[in-house]
Amino acid sequence: MSDAAALKGPAKQRGLLRSSLLVSVMTLLSRVLGLIRDVVIANFLGASSNADCFFVAFKIPNFLRRLFAEGAFSQAFVPVLSEYRENGSTASIKLLIDRVAGALGGVLLIVTSVCVVASPLVATLFAPGFRDDPAKFQLTSDMIRITFPYLFLISMTGFAGGILNTFGRYAVPAFTPVLLNICMIVAAVYMSQYFAEPAMALAWGVLMAGAVQMVFQLPFLQRIQMLPRPRWAWQDEGVQKIITLMIPALFGVSISQINLLLDTILASFLPTGSISWLYYSDRLVELPLGVFAIAIATVVLPNLSRLRAGGNELAFGATLDWGLRSVLLMAVPATAALMLLAEPILTTLFQYGEMKLSDVTMSALSLRAYTLGLIPFMLIKVLAPGFYARQDTKTPVRIGIIAMVANMVMNIALVIPLHHYWQIGHAGLALATVGSAWLNAGLLYRGLGKKAGFKILPGWGRYCLQLGLAVAAMSACLWYGLQWFDGWQQWGAMQRALHLGGLCVAGSGAYIVVMLVCGLRLKDLRGSAPH
């Protein structure tokens, strides 16, 4: 059967575990290259003033990309597209895609053009603390002009990825971020020598990466005969439905990203290096978050949307339950491992070239703080789709507002004393973000129970006991191993990597063995969407 014919018949259902593992493998490749990219950046820029400038210039369009591509737009677009696919014809699906491409592309072009022209205003808005340093402010403004078009390119890439995910082509969108990391590594290693300021090469690398990622997905859209031909049709019923769902979701689904951006704004007033310390620690937390939670959420949302459109509430609840168990299987051990191995990991990955021991120490503080929020960060990725699959965007908005206000209050309560007494205000920013994430996740879970009647399935007590015993065994193994290794600062890169790798293998082995001894089997992790 051809791809075109396949689109007209019932979609072949895949096991959720299989699909999630496929996305996880691709995402893992991307995250590993992302770590290599960050190692290169740390070697070239360290936690210097220019590094702070680049991270701000990159974070702004990247933040907006998560709202448009991975966040609000995706959560609004995928359920509507799934509904069209479940109940409509191939022609109606294609027409919706064409009209959404025109509307989204047009808005993004306008936003991008305005922000490129007004880059000093954008820099003032997102890094007001840089105004006191004219050179730092000017460099940030110049780099924003280069990096901001990435917003348009990567958002259209996310739009294409949403189409491919809805049609079960998970691998291509999951692989696409690999191209970003390759482009930035090439820019840092080979292009930086042609610039007076190496950070400018990285800015051009970001722009190049956006174009490469968008073009890469086009042949795969053509293969399933869903390559968009943009049409400006703002009044189209499907487009209006997506906009209606998207506007409140802009806030609700991206609350954690908004909190991180607020951290950047406040960090611009803290000592030089604070933004970089937060960046390096956040990147390490993003590794398990991206590999596992986002991979599972990517697979869960289209399935939840399809089940909701088909009225299968029992399977809807079972799929959510599976998602929660799956993310905790990785979130709990990852939290314990990052808490114990913060300094060894940061030293092994980043302490070369311009990166100093003091930078590692400061980054470790924010890493441990962010790690306390890894569990709610992951839970949010599964719980939020439970609302958006039901086309309910209002409830997450109300929850998001509560979490946002709590984050602001905790920022004031934590940052000021930590900065005043110990000069570690950046750790207070991370702790405030974590506190709001826990509140957000808890309220989302409670809201699903009230709004959708969601209840966890039997067996959670046994499952939590299995997790607790396995993580305790892993932690003991890691702690014992650390007592034998006490020369991280003196070792070279290879020796550091070998010792860290040995610890990770030993800890992972202990965790897996205890889970198996406690009775967990692969069949327990399989989730499937009903035929």
Side-chain angles (χ1 to χ4, degrees), residues 267 270-271 274 277-278 358 361-366 369 411 414-432:
L270 297 176
S274 295
W277 301 330
L278 287 168
S358 58
T361 302
M362 288 297 192
S363 297
L365 290 172
S366 49
N411 272 332
L414 294 170
V415 174
I416 293 176
L418 288 176
H419 173 65
H420 179 73
Y421 291 107
W422 298 285
Q423 292 291 294
I424 54 170
H426 68 293
L429 291 172
L431 287 172

Side-chain angles (χ1 to χ4, degrees), residues 156-438:
M156 298 309 294
T157 300
F159 166 61
I163 298 171
L164 291 168
N165 284 331
T166 301
F167 286 95
R169 274 63 173 182
Y170 299 112
V172 174
F175 174 80
T176 301
V178 169
L179 302 174
L180 166 67
N181 298 318
I182 292 174
C183 288
M184 291 186 67
I185 291 169
V186 169
V189 175
Y190 296 105
M191 292 171 55
S192 59
Q193 57 186 309
Y194 300 106
F195 291 85
E197 174 47 61
M200 291 296 290
L202 290 171
W204 283 106
V206 169
L207 179 60
M208 177 174 63
V212 170
Q213 289 178 98
M214 184 180 73
V215 172
F216 172 72
Q217 293 198 354
L218 299 183
F220 298 96
L221 289 175
Q222 180 61 48
R223 187 173 298 174
I224 62 172
Q225 299 184 16
M226 289 293 152
L227 183 66
R229 294 186 178 182
R231 302 183 186 184
W232 183 263
W234 196 262
Q235 298 303 317
D236 176 79
E237 181 183 353
V239 172
Q240 285 296 308
K241 190 171 187 178
I242 291 169
I243 293 171
T244 301
L245 293 171
M246 180 178 172
I247 291 175
L250 277 170
F251 192 90
V253 78
S254 302
I255 186 67
S256 62
Q257 296 305 316
I258 294 173
N259 286 338
L260 289 173
L261 194 62
L262 285 174
D263 289 353
T264 301
I265 294 172
L266 292 173
S268 69
F269 293 98
L270 297 176
T272 295
S274 295
I275 291 175
S276 300
W277 301 330
L278 287 168
Y279 174 84
Y280 292 127
S281 53
D282 176 54
R283 289 295 298 162
L284 289 175
V285 172
E286 284 282 335
L287 178 61
L289 180 62
V291 172
F292 303 115
I294 293 177
I296 290 170
T298 298
V299 174
V300 162
L301 178 59
N303 280 279
L304 289 177
S305 300
R306 191 179 303 115
L307 292 169
R308 173 60 178 169
N312 196 338
E313 293 294 336
L314 288 176
F316 183 94
T319 300
L320 265 179
D321 187 273
W322 171 85
L324 295 176
R325 291 179 189 241
S326 297
V327 294
L328 287 179
L329 186 69
M330 299 300 173
V332 179
T335 298
L338 285 173
M339 291 293 290
L340 287 166
L341 301 177
E343 284 89 354
I345 292 174
L346 288 162
T347 301
T348 301
L349 293 176
F350 301 129
Q351 197 185 341
Y352 309 99
E354 296 298 318
M355 193 77 163
K356 303 177 179 66
L357 175 60
S358 58
D359 296 323
V360 169
T361 302
M362 288 297 192
S363 297
L365 290 172
S366 49
L367 173 56
R368 286 196 171 96
Y370 275 140
T371 297
L372 294 173
L374 187 55
I375 293 174
F377 290 154
M378 286 195 175
L379 291 177
I380 289 168
K381 295 295 183 182
V382 174
L383 293 169
F387 290 95
Y388 293 104
R390 304 176 71 86
Q391 299 184 15
D392 174 7
T393 56
K394 294 181 180 179
T395 302
V397 167
R398 288 195 292 267
I399 292 172
I401 291 173
I402 295 171
M404 190 76 159
V405 172
N407 183 68
M408 292 178 180
V409 172
M410 285 185 283
N411 272 332
I412 296 172
L414 294 170
V415 174
I416 293 176
L418 288 176
H419 173 65
H420 179 73
Y421 291 107
W422 298 285
Q423 292 291 294
I424 54 170
H426 68 293
L429 291 172
L431 287 172
T433 300
V434 167
S436 69
W438 276 106

Side-chain angles (χ1 to χ4, degrees), residues 21-22 34 55 126 141 153 186 262 292 327 416 422 435 460 481 498:
L21 287 175
L22 175 64
F55 292 140
F126 289 99
S141 300
L153 297 168
V186 169
L262 285 174
F292 303 115
V327 294
I416 293 176
W422 298 285
W460 269 89
L498 289 173

Side-chain angles (χ1 to χ4, degrees), residues 103-116 148 152 232:
L104 177 66
V107 171
L108 288 171
L109 279 174
I110 293 171
V111 172
T112 299
S113 300
V114 169
C115 290
V116 167
F148 216 95
F152 169 79
W232 183 263

